[in-house]
Structures are given as structure tokens and as C-alpha cells.
Amino acid sequence: METTQPNPTQLITSGSRPEAPTLPRTISSLATRTRTRTHHHSGRGRAHPQPPSAGGAMVAPGGGGGPSRWPAAEELDIVRKKVVEISGRDEREVRVAACPYRICPLGAHIDHQGGTVTAMTINYGVLLGFVPSNDSEVLLQSGQFKGVIRFRVNDLQKPIDNPENISWESYARGAVYALQNSGYDIRKGVIGYISGVEGLDSSGLSSSAAVGIAYLLALEDVNDLVVSPVDNIQLDKSIENKYLGLENGILDPSAILLSRYGHLTFMDCKTASPSYVYFSELSKSQQSQGQLPFKILLAFSGLQHNLPKKRGYNTRVFECKEAAHALLCASGCEDESNILRNVDPVVYEAQKGVLEENLSRRAEHYFSETKRVAKGRDAWARGNLQEFGQLISASGRSSILNYECGSKEMIQLYEILLKAPGVLGARFSGAGFRGCCLAIVESERAEEAAAYARAEYEKAQPELVCKIPADRRVLVCEPGDSARVILPDQHRYS
């Protein structure tokens, strides 16, 4: 199969591994490097896409060119065959948007306050197989949800005013809404089949962002739109913030669209500037051979949630903003926008006594997490997994004590992972109210740690565990790469 892209929508580099261990990229440079075709907005002339070069060779995929094995050929075959069944089209026409799930080792709950966060993707995610429809109709089926979605891209999409009305259809409509409201001329719909990993939706791995980005990529592809990763980050944020009503930041789409295998992505959420750090400058040669010395464990609680329906998330965001407002007013900077990034750490230390108890805890989490991110960057660059893991575990403790997220079950799972053999650090994944916990574990002890976590959590929560498929209770994962559109393997059909 070709894991190349039909357009440079997701490109960060040409796919070659950069030489420097730290690679800052500004928003403007990313946007410039990805626009090799002109995208067209409403009211402008229609752009003509550049044809692929001879032999079907296309632009190299985004990311670091590492050995991410997702998606497998078998997974792609299943999705393509489903699209053929639904559309009646030739399998050679089917393209697949592959959008990986993400983890955030450090930087928990600070993206919406303009903080700097860390992220990497994993080798699991959402696949959307699609072909262009003959007109403006969107027709979609899902591997996880029943029913068929039908609507037209020229239908006016209005934001959802009641979170209880959110369904799997909402993300497809939200993608159309985001493109419409950003001035993109979308006239052609898609016929598609979308599938995530059974049991991993609503688990704190940004499955909703992966779904939203998949729909964006498909709609952009069939309408010959070239949209930079930077712009797609903002489009996905529009789906979440404006259409679904979730007050989240840009961590999730940034991770999915910008990650590179073998790197930790750092995203400054105030300036929207990403940078990349190798895991240990000394181990570049091993990285190129897929020999990273760690694995990622995902341990599932059996509790699922839909963030827009969980008011606890938005409540925490508003509390952080209240804390920022109080601190800015106390320091005579009330004209600044109410995010904690705008509060000088010196001012916080001097004025934190003005905060109510719950606001004080939210602010303490933000400023302590910011320090952990800075220390984590240094530890990662030096290849010090012990120190990096300790910082992750400290982030988990602060999420419980200061940000006050989690539940009895999630805290139990977190504590079990901390005791598992070979685990270097653990914390909640995602918002932390439900879903799963993540851990960084020594590669050679990953299976041992997974077996320990499975057994101990089953003792603690047998009723919840029986609801989780046996092969999905604890997953051993590897770092992944960025979202991309995968073409059919032309050689396969010749």
C-alpha cells in the first residue's frame, strides 16, 4: 500500500528526519510550507489540483518517517471493502483518512489556559474510507454506531444548543459547519465508512478530535482544498468549541496533525507554535530502526464519557479563568484576557492569597504543571526516562489533588499502574473524569506490566472489567505518526 498523501494537507516536512534535536516551527512557516496548491474560498475561482507525478507517486507523508505500523494493510482492506459495499464504486477509488489517537504525557489541563503541552500519537486510531459523491450528499456509516447519516454539504449547519443531542452524526455536520464558517467553498459530499478501535472511543484518547479531523480531511480532499495543518487545527477547534460547545484548547488536534514518530511534540497553546524534541540525541540511530526504549500502556477503567455532555470539564475551565481574572485584577492587569498564561509566575506567588480555595487549587495545578513541562523537555532530550516518568506521575497527583478530576475507579487504576513492574510514570489520559490511564513503561517489561494491571484492576473493579473486551483492558502501544490521507496501492490493482 502507499502511505502517501493525495495532497500536502498534513505535511510538516518532506518526511526526512531533521538533524537538530530541537526543531521549532512557527505557525507561519508551517502554513507556508504546506500550501503547494491554492485552496479556494467562497466567492473565488475554483482551484485546479496539481496532478500526481508519473507512476502514481505522490507527496511524501507528514511526520518523521518512523516505523509506525498503523494502519495495517488488513485494517485498510476492511474499510475499503465497506466503502465499496456502500457506494458501489471501484475499490481503486477509495482513499482512507487515517487519524491516530493521542496521549499527553505532560501538560494536563493547561492547553485552554494558553500553556505549553506535550503530545504524541499512538499506533491506534480512526479510519475513514471515502469516495466523492456525485453531488453534495454526505452518506456515512460507522463501524461502532448504528444507522446511516445523510445530509448535504450545502445545508446550513447550526451549532448544537443541547449537549444531550450530540451523536456520532454531529462530528460530520460539525466539520461541514467549520468549513462553511471559515469561508471554504465545499460543493461535493462524500460517501464513507468510519471506524475506530472498539472500546477506545470516549476513553480520553481524543477520539472525538480524530473523528472530526478525519471528516475535515475527507471533505477537503474531495473538494480539492489544500488546508495547512495549522488551519486544520483551528477548524477542528471550531467543531469542538463553536459547534459542540466544548471549551477545550488546541492540544488534541495539534497532537493528531503535527506529531512525528520518535519525537515529543511541544505546543505553545497561546502562540500556537509547535516544536519537536528527539528522545535523546544519543539514540538517533536506534530510533531510525524503531528501537525506542519504552512502550505506552493504556489501561481502561470501563467508564466512558462524552466530554460535551460532562459539565465538569467546562466548569474547571471557567474556574481557571476566574482564578486568572482575580490574579490579574490584584496585580493591576485587568485588561489582559483571563487565562492563567497571562499571569506572571512572580505575581501568582505574591497574590495567590486572594484566591478562593478551589480557584487556588486550579491555579496551583497550572503553574506546577508548567514547571513539569519545562523539566520534562530537558529530561526527554537527555533520554532520562526515570525523571520523565516521575514528572508524569506528579502530573497525575496534581490532577487529582489540585485540578480535582478523576473518580474512585480512575484513581484506583492510576495507583495500580504506579506499582506495575517496569512502569516509569502514569497519569490519567484526557480530561480524567472517565476513560483510561496511560503509563510509560520499559519496553522489555511492557507485557509483564500489562498483565499486572489487568489482574489488579479486575480484583478492584470486577463488574466494570467484565464490560471491557478482554483484549482491550490494557493495551501495549507504540508511538505513532501524524494524520494523513492514504491512497490505494496502485501496484496492487495493475
Side-chain angles (χ1 to χ4, degrees):
M1 67 179 178
E2 291 186 36
T3 57
T4 54
Q5 296 171 299
N7 60 50
T9 303
Q10 303 335 310
L11 278 179
I12 308 304
T13 70
S14 64
S16 59
R17 189 176 296 278
E19 295 302 320
T22 303
L23 304 168
R25 286 281 190 271
T26 63
I27 267 309
S28 59
S29 67
L30 277 169
T32 301
R33 288 171 66 86
T34 56
R35 284 193 177 95
T36 60
R37 293 187 298 175
T38 305
H39 70 264
H40 54 281
H41 292 266
S42 179
R44 297 183 186 175
R46 185 170 178 81
H48 296 284
Q50 293 177 351
S53 58
M58 306 298 284
V59 180
S68 177
R69 299 177 184 86
W70 181 84
E74 295 79 5
E75 295 175 275
L76 292 169
D77 284 345
I78 291 170
V79 170
R80 287 181 178 130
K81 284 178 169 56
K82 287 287 186 180
V83 176
V84 171
E85 290 177 16
I86 297 166
S87 66
R89 305 276 272 279
D90 193 301
E91 190 172 336
R92 288 173 289 187
E93 298 180 55
V94 181
R95 295 179 174 184
V96 181
C99 297
Y101 299 138
R102 70 98 186 99
I103 63 166
C104 172
L106 290 169
H109 317 298
I110 65 173
D111 61 325
H112 50 73
Q113 295 303 298
T116 297
V117 299
T118 71
M120 66 176 70
T121 57
I122 61 172
N123 58 330
Y124 290 90
V126 170
L127 297 177
L128 169 61
F130 65 93
V131 292
S133 62
N134 293 323
D135 50 26
S136 63
E137 185 179 40
V138 172
L139 190 157
L140 297 165
Q141 292 185 22
S142 168
Q144 279 69 51
F145 301 98
K146 295 180 179 179
V148 177
I149 295 175
R150 287 181 183 270
F151 67 95
R152 294 187 176 276
V153 295
N154 49 10
D155 294 343
L156 181 63
Q157 303 298 329
K158 297 181 179 179
I160 293 176
D161 53 10
N162 182 355
E164 296 303 318
N165 294 332
I166 293 173
S167 68
W168 74 277
E169 178 176 356
S170 304
Y171 292 88
R173 290 183 176 272
V176 172
Y177 168 88
L179 288 163
Q180 286 176 340
N181 282 271
S182 296
Y184 289 98
D185 181 14
I186 50 171
R187 305 179 187 184
K188 188 168 286 190
V190 296
I191 303 171
Y193 175 83
I194 190 165
S195 181
V197 180
E198 195 70 41
L200 268 64
D201 55 303
S202 300
S203 292
L205 300 171
S206 276
S207 56
S208 62
V211 168
I213 291 168
Y215 287 133
L216 288 170
L217 298 188
L219 288 165
E220 290 160 7
D221 185 273
V222 301
N223 285 282
D224 298 328
L225 301 175
V226 175
V227 183
S228 73
V230 169
D231 289 339
N232 267 324
I233 289 168
Q234 295 304 320
L235 287 168
D236 185 72
K237 190 172 186 289
S238 179
I239 296 173
E240 302 270 8
N241 293 176
K242 297 179 181 178
Y243 188 77
L244 298 175
L246 177 63
E247 295 292 329
N248 62 345
I250 63 172
L251 164 62
D252 298 345
S254 298
I256 293 167
L257 287 161
L258 300 178
S259 286
R260 300 175 179 178
Y261 178 83
H263 299 71
L264 192 61
T265 302
F266 288 78
M267 173 59 73
D268 183 324
C269 294
K270 183 178 181 182
T271 64
S273 300
S275 60
Y276 304 91
V277 179
Y278 280 123
F279 174 73
S280 178
E281 175 72 4
L282 299 177
S283 63
K284 284 185 190 177
S285 60
Q286 286 89 349
Q287 286 185 45
S288 65
Q289 300 169 33
Q291 297 175 355
L292 292 174
F294 67 91
K295 302 282 187 185
I296 300 158
L297 286 191
L298 298 177
F300 295 86
S301 68
L303 300 170
Q304 291 186 315
H305 69 288
N306 182 310
L307 270 186
K309 296 183 181 181
K310 301 299 290 186
R311 300 191 184 277
Y313 181 89
N314 281 352
T315 298
R316 296 295 185 278
V317 176
F318 294 138
E319 288 171 342
C320 289
K321 291 181 178 180
E322 285 185 57
H325 178 70
L327 291 167
L328 289 167
C329 287
S331 60
C333 300
E334 56 269 18
D335 292 338
E336 294 277 0
S337 60
N338 295 326
I339 57 173
L340 287 166
R341 175 66 177 272
N342 288 336
V343 178
D344 190 292
V346 175
V347 170
Y348 165 66
E349 291 296 335
Q351 301 291 344
K352 61 184 179 182
V354 306
L355 298 175
E356 298 175 9
E357 184 179 354
N358 66 322
L359 302 187
S360 177
R361 286 195 291 269
R362 306 300 177 262
E364 175 59 26
H365 175 75
Y366 172 85
F367 286 101
S368 64
E369 189 73 356
T370 297
K371 292 177 183 177
R372 284 187 286 272
V373 170
K375 291 178 180 178
R377 184 185 189 104
D378 179 63
W380 178 268
R382 289 185 284 109
N384 191 331
L385 278 177
Q386 291 287 345
E387 183 180 346
F388 190 72
Q390 290 169 4
L391 291 165
I392 292 172
S393 298
S395 173
R397 286 192 293 274
S398 183
S399 292
I400 295 168
L401 298 175
N402 293 321
Y403 203 74
E404 295 185 286
C405 64
S407 62
K408 173 186 173 182
E409 298 84 356
M410 289 288 287
I411 293 170
Q412 282 180 327
L413 190 53
Y414 162 74
E415 292 174 343
I416 287 169
L417 284 172
L418 290 180
K419 298 174 184 176
V423 165
L424 302 165
R427 55 155 294 220
F428 303 149
S429 185
F433 294 97
R434 298 289 192 272
C436 73
C437 291
L438 68 89
I440 302 296
V441 61
E442 296 167 0
S443 292
E444 64 274 12
R445 305 194 74 182
E447 294 297 341
E448 182 185 1
Y452 175 90
R454 286 188 198 100
E456 293 300 310
Y457 189 61
E458 185 172 3
K459 293 177 189 175
Q461 296 292 338
E463 293 184 6
L464 281 175
V465 169
C466 72
K467 299 176 184 178
I468 310 171
D471 62 345
R472 291 288 181 265
R473 292 172 185 173
V474 182
L475 292 180
V476 178
C477 307
E478 296 180 6
D481 221 318
S482 59
R484 59 206 184 276
V485 171
I486 300 172
L487 301 182
D489 187 343
Q490 301 302 325
H491 300 292
R492 175 180 174 184
Y493 303 104
S494 59

